[in-house]
Amino acid sequence: DIQEANEHFMGRPGLVYESGTTAITGTFFHIYCITDTVFSLLTAPDLTGDTITGVTFAAGTPIYTRVTAFTLTSGSVFAYKLESDLSI
């Protein structure tokens, strides 16, 4: 339902804050770049085309795709967890 989808989008299942170079795994549906951010690894099963590692994402950039792992080279992000039993 709409209410549940909105709660999910606002982070009800939880979120991860990362500003270091620790490898992060999980299932996320949205990554928000708090500061200018560069990824050394970004595993997004639904993403096709060129790799986006090494690309600088400006502060305030949202990345909307399913992500299962990421590692930052620099920057800081909020990674919003995906609740597997909630269909949006």
Side-chain angles (χ1 to χ4, degrees):
D1 78 3
I2 299 290
Q3 169 85 25
E4 192 170 357
N6 283 337
E7 288 175 6
H8 186 83
F9 183 76
M10 297 306 292
R12 179 177 50 101
L15 57 98
V16 172
Y17 169 74
E18 181 60 36
S19 63
T21 57
T22 302
I24 304 296
T25 60
T27 305
F28 306 96
F29 76 97
H30 171 210
I31 295 182
Y32 179 78
C33 300
I34 301 167
T35 61
D36 288 357
T37 300
V38 178
F39 294 90
S40 60
L41 170 75
L42 182 68
T43 304
D46 302 320
L47 182 64
T48 60
D50 294 337
T51 181
I52 58 174
T53 58
V55 174
T56 300
F57 290 86
T61 300
I63 302 170
Y64 294 106
T65 190
R66 185 169 49 107
V67 172
T68 56
F70 68 90
T71 305
L72 302 179
T73 299
S74 62
S76 58
V77 300
F78 282 129
Y80 290 77
K81 294 180 180 180
L82 179 65
E83 200 171 66
S84 61
D85 61 346
L86 176 64
S87 56
I88 298 176

